[in-house]
């Protein structure tokens, strides 16, 4: 008998529950096929619960979540809740509390999936962004003075610690080594303007590089990174960057890999509980219509299986999803796939 993995499932808001259902369908099929067990527990965190009870993310739930092997998340963000409350109170809080200090976001164009980049295909678009996920401008440091007056001051500080920067860079070098492709790690920063933060990043980058002699190092400013991602995406193998730049460039990455319908990410604590999610958000206007593309959630499930150590099952999920994308789906966009959300899940599960 194989192992049993305890997984917390947080479907969340909007289309989250619909895509999570398909992700769960696919990974439980893979579990049966490869003889391991997924013991799933659902949590109703999100906008509905907040509107009903005022609860966002109780401390007791955080303690419970620490006991799982992994967390599978749908989407956070509700049209009837002021922006920021759920995003900061659930998603960012979970990332910080569980110290998921890496946000791993593959940018991979699969065969048959349309990219807006002319003359670029799966051979050119295949890299991974390692986004620092616990510090930077997203740590919540700062404040306001004289709010609401003409003298108002708003300060948002970017926190960059030697420890936080170094652990992220070490993860990125090691990941690049294990990925074993071009073995090139690009630091994406802004050393010409953010001369405190990216000075620390740059010095630490070249120091850590000494421990990874097989990895070629490269540097690009964040604005230039955006340019190269469109013009020459094949230059990238692994990109490492801070929290905000990582947030921004991975939306660009999602677009060149075929859209929000496919982009998945993992919030990783290499020593603790990691959380996997489609990065597209809650898509309120498509909620409940059975038209949203569940492929990103399926690929988030695939990443989860891989990081849990079930690499054969993960490979089977990827292969099946690739076949469905190449042979079946007309488009990766909501409502244009030629199939419903649940049919896409059925197609992928059926090939495992
Ligand atoms: C993402 C999202 C989140 C982030 C928001 C919703 C807090 O944009 O996962 O990229 O900025 O990290
Ligand atoms: Mn984002």
């Amino acid at each position: 008998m194989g192992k049993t993995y305890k997984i917390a499932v947080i479907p969340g808001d909007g289309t989250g529950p619909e895509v999570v259902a398909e992700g769960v369908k696919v990974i439980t099929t893979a579990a049966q096929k490869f003889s391991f067990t997924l013991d799933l527990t659902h949590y109703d965190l999100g906008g509905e619960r907040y509107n009903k009870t005022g609860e966002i993310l109780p401390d007791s739930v955080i303690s419970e979540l620490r006991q799982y092997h992994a967390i599978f998340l749908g989407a956070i963000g509700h049209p009837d809740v002021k922006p920021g409350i759920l995003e900061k109170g659930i998603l960012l809080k979970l990332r910080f509390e569980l110290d998921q200090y890496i946000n791993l976001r593959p940018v991979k164009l699969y065969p048959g999936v349309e990219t807006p980049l002319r003359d670029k295909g799966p051979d050119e678009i295949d890299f991974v962004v390692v986004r620092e996920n616990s510090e930077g401008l997203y740590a919540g440091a700062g404040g306001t003075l004289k709010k609401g007056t003409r003298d108002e001051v708003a300060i948002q500080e970017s926190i960059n610690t030697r420890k936080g920067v170094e652990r992220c860079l070490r993860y990125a070098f090691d990941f690049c080594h294990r990925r074993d492709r071009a073995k090139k790690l690009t630091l994406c920063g802004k050393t010409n303007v953010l001369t405190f933060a990216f000075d620390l990043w740059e010095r630490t980058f070249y120091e850590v590089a000494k421990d990874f002699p097989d990895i070629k190092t490269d540097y690009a400013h964040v604005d230039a990174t955006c340019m190269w991602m469109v013009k020459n995406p094949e230059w990238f193998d692994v990109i490492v960057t801070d929290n905000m730049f990582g947030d921004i460039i991975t939306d660009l990455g999602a677009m060149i890999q075929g859209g929000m319908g496919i982009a998945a990410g993992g919030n990783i604590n290499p020593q603790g509980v990691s959380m996997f999610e489609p990065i597209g958000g809650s898509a309120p206007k498509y909620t409940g219509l059975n038209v949203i593309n569940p492929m990103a959630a399926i690929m988030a499930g695939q990443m989860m299986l891989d990081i849990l150590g079930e690499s054969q099952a993960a490979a089977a999920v990827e292969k099946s999803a690739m076949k469905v994308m190449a042979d079946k789906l007309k488009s990766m966009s909501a409502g244009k796939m030629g199939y419903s959300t649940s049919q896409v899940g059925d197609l992928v599960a059926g090939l495992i």
Side-chain angles (χ1 to χ4, degrees):
M1 265 309 286
K3 293 186 184 160
T4 296
Y5 300 97
K6 287 180 63 191
I7 309 292
V9 181
I10 308 174
D13 299 317
T15 50
E18 293 165 67
V19 297
V20 155
E22 302 316 308
V24 163
K25 186 188 280 175
V26 169
I27 60 178
T28 44
T29 306
Q32 278 156 14
K33 172 90 193 277
F34 292 90
S35 308
F36 59 92
T37 306
L38 297 173
D39 177 6
L40 306 173
T41 308
H42 282 69
Y43 285 84
D44 67 348
L45 300 170
E48 299 289 328
R49 174 163 171 178
Y50 174 67
N51 279 339
K52 252 187 253 150
T53 68
E55 274 180 341
I56 303 178
L57 175 58
D59 288 344
S60 60
V61 172
I62 298 179
S63 320
E64 280 178 45
L65 290 173
R66 292 185 200 281
Q67 309 304 317
Y68 289 87
H69 289 101
I71 303 169
F72 190 45
L73 173 77
I76 297 296
H78 194 288
D80 303 332
V81 180
K82 195 172 149 230
I85 295 182
L86 301 169
E87 292 85 342
K88 284 174 80 171
I90 300 179
L91 186 56
L92 294 183
K93 190 157 177 202
L94 278 175
R95 289 176 182 169
F96 295 156
E97 288 287 330
L98 300 175
D99 206 17
Q100 293 161 342
Y101 61 86
I102 298 297
N103 197 324
L104 196 61
R105 296 187 161 181
V107 178
K108 183 169 179 176
L109 177 68
Y110 287 106
V113 175
E114 202 183 324
T115 175
L117 300 189
R118 184 164 49 87
D119 304 333
K120 302 291 176 189
D123 288 341
E124 286 82 27
I125 301 172
D126 187 358
F127 59 92
V128 178
V129 177
V130 176
R131 165 184 175 189
E132 202 291 322
N133 210 32
S134 64
E135 304 193 334
L137 278 160
Y138 292 33
T144 54
L145 274 176
K146 302 184 184 176
K147 192 167 177 172
T149 72
R150 303 291 294 175
D151 297 325
E152 180 161 355
V153 180
I155 297 174
Q156 196 89 48
E157 288 158 321
S158 177
I159 306 295
N160 298 264
T161 67
R162 169 71 199 210
K163 177 183 159 191
V165 169
E166 182 171 339
R167 67 183 181 175
C168 174
L169 290 168
R170 280 198 184 279
Y171 182 92
F173 274 102
D174 183 58
F175 180 85
C176 190
H177 170 80
R178 284 184 283 123
R179 176 172 151 92
D180 201 15
R181 302 284 283 267
K183 295 210 171 174
K184 175 176 162 189
L185 180 64
T186 305
L187 172 65
C188 161
K190 191 75 188 174
T191 50
N192 53 348
V193 176
L194 306 182
T195 50
F196 310 125
F198 278 97
D199 174 56
L200 172 60
W201 276 85
E202 194 180 35
R203 274 184 289 115
T204 312
F205 182 68
Y206 291 111
E207 256 180 69
V208 174
K210 291 185 194 140
D211 293 339
F212 295 88
D214 62 327
I215 305 295
K216 290 183 276 298
T217 53
D218 188 21
Y219 172 82
H221 293 320
V222 62
D223 42 0
T225 302
C226 291
M227 178 178 76
W228 299 128
M229 277 173 69
V230 171
K231 197 171 177 293
N232 294 97
E234 66 278 7
W235 287 359
F236 295 117
D237 177 22
V238 180
I239 299 175
V240 62
T241 191
D242 82 350
N243 207 337
M244 185 172 71
F245 292 163
D247 185 22
I248 297 169
I249 69 171
T250 53
D251 266 33
L252 177 56
M255 287 305 115
I256 69 170
Q257 74 181 121
M260 285 303 183
I262 172 71
N267 301 277
I268 312 288
N269 176 340
Q271 289 84 37
V273 184
S274 299
M275 177 167 75
F276 300 85
E277 52 173 338
I279 74 176
S282 56
K285 72 173 180 184
Y286 296 118
T287 302
L289 303 177
N290 200 18
V291 296
I292 194 81
N293 189 347
M295 214 43 105
I298 292 169
M299 297 315 287
Q302 184 268 343
M303 281 181 87
M304 179 167 79
L305 296 182
D306 200 33
I307 288 183
L308 286 171
E310 297 293 341
S311 48
Q312 278 187 307
V317 170
E318 186 180 31
K319 202 168 151 222
S320 308
M322 279 173 76
K323 208 161 162 39
V324 171
M325 289 187 275
D327 301 346
K328 303 277 186 189
L329 298 197
K330 291 203 191 76
S331 156
M332 296 300 283
S333 305
K336 296 182 184 150
M337 302 181 290
Y339 297 90
S340 68
T341 306
S342 48
Q343 283 173 330
V344 174
D346 289 342
L347 285 170
V348 178
L351 287 174
I352 289 172

